[in-house]
Amino acid sequence: MNGSIKLVATTSVAALGAVTASWAALSVIAAIITTNDSGAIVPYAIPGVLGLIAMAWGSRALAHANEWVDDLPVKSYLAATAMLAGTAMGALAAMLLLDHLPMQVVSGVVAAAAVVLTIVYLSRLRAEIRGTRIERVRIARLRDHGRRVRAEVVEAASTEVWVGGMLLFEVTAEYETRSGLHRVQERVFTTINDAPTVGGTVLLWVTADGSNPTDVLMETDPGSIRHPEPSEFLTAPAPTEDA
């Protein structure tokens, strides 16, 4: 399936799940308040549970959204934004459909709060997308016009963040510049068998003229020594399967 289509479909599932769950939750509360019949909540409980399942599945799947399209970071506000928007629509539906004034007011407040949060998270999501696009341009510029150097690893630690079976490491490395030894700290994804280790090396893409030693792109070095005990990283959260 095309990445963009997969993104739209999964986001829609998460949002529609939130619509159903929020509408059902408010309807259940209204039914409990207005009737003593426990059976009155059944028509809302089942859709509510299905909505929660859709939200959970959509949220988990959207954790891999950066693998489907290029404009999203590893972790983004996409899932939260979609579910907040869905919650706002579900609460609005409850406000319009319920025949109980106090719950109409409550539903309206929930809808308004969800709309405000949706706007906030949407703004953050747009900032993330802009930042990711800028980073892609920077990486392309370094690879097309920069030069590659080998740097010695002086610190390396797992962040315990897994994406697609790859573990994210925070690495500090040193390399020679015109003005002397320079230290940089970057993050790099790799398999645990290629985990960076102190005393090993990484490859850095740097500006061709060396004018900005902090403008670098870090990659694993195939010729480097490897971490002696890569299995120790398996104590981090286990990698999840691709959605």
Side-chain angles (χ1 to χ4, degrees):
M1 182 185 296
N2 179 275
S4 297
I5 295 175
K6 190 174 183 179
L7 180 68
V8 171
T10 308
T11 303
S12 298
V13 169
L16 289 173
V19 171
T20 305
S22 59
W23 164 79
L26 291 166
S27 298
V28 165
I29 295 172
I32 293 173
I33 293 173
T34 58
T35 179
N36 293 322
D37 183 6
S38 60
I41 69 172
V42 173
Y44 309 113
I46 295 176
V49 170
L50 294 176
L52 290 173
I53 293 173
M55 287 174 63
W57 178 86
S59 178
R60 181 178 181 276
L62 287 173
H64 300 274
N66 69 297
E67 300 171 21
W68 309 336
V69 295
D70 294 330
D71 292 340
L72 287 172
V74 173
K75 289 188 174 182
S76 75
Y77 288 101
L78 179 59
T81 303
M83 289 187 289
L84 282 168
T87 299
M89 290 186 286
L92 179 61
M95 183 183 72
L96 296 175
L97 296 174
L98 292 176
D99 188 21
H100 185 260
L101 182 58
M103 283 306 301
Q104 288 177 327
V105 173
V106 170
S107 299
V109 171
V110 171
V115 167
V116 171
L117 288 173
T118 299
I119 294 172
V120 171
Y121 275 72
L122 183 59
S123 176
R124 293 178 178 178
L125 178 61
R126 292 178 64 184
E128 286 181 331
I129 292 173
R130 285 196 300 269
T132 302
R133 288 173 177 171
I134 291 172
E135 179 66 6
R136 285 174 56 202
V137 171
R138 186 186 75 88
I139 290 173
R141 172 177 53 78
L142 285 172
R143 284 180 170 160
D144 292 342
H145 306 292
R147 60 189 178 90
R148 196 169 66 173
V149 298
R150 182 168 276 111
E152 182 179 355
V153 177
V154 293
E155 294 179 21
S158 164
T159 65
E160 299 188 354
V161 174
W162 291 89
V163 174
M166 305 281 277
L167 183 58
L168 180 63
F169 289 86
E170 191 167 89
V171 180
T172 302
E174 294 179 338
Y175 72 104
E176 290 288 345
T177 67
R178 294 175 181 175
S179 58
L181 194 65
H182 188 74
R183 176 175 289 201
V184 295
Q185 186 178 70
E186 292 288 324
R187 290 187 169 190
V188 60
F189 277 104
T190 184
T191 63
I192 60 172
N193 290 329
D194 291 326
T197 186
V198 174
T201 55
V202 290
L203 298 176
L204 301 178
W205 287 95
V206 300
T207 53
D209 59 2
S211 58
N212 186 359
T214 62
D215 186 12
V216 301
L217 169 65
M218 182 179 291
E219 297 176 340
T220 55
D221 182 0
S224 172
I225 61 172
R226 297 293 186 262
H227 194 283
E229 295 292 338
S231 60
E232 75 178 46
F233 297 115
L234 293 179
T235 58
T240 56
E241 295 296 327
D242 289 344

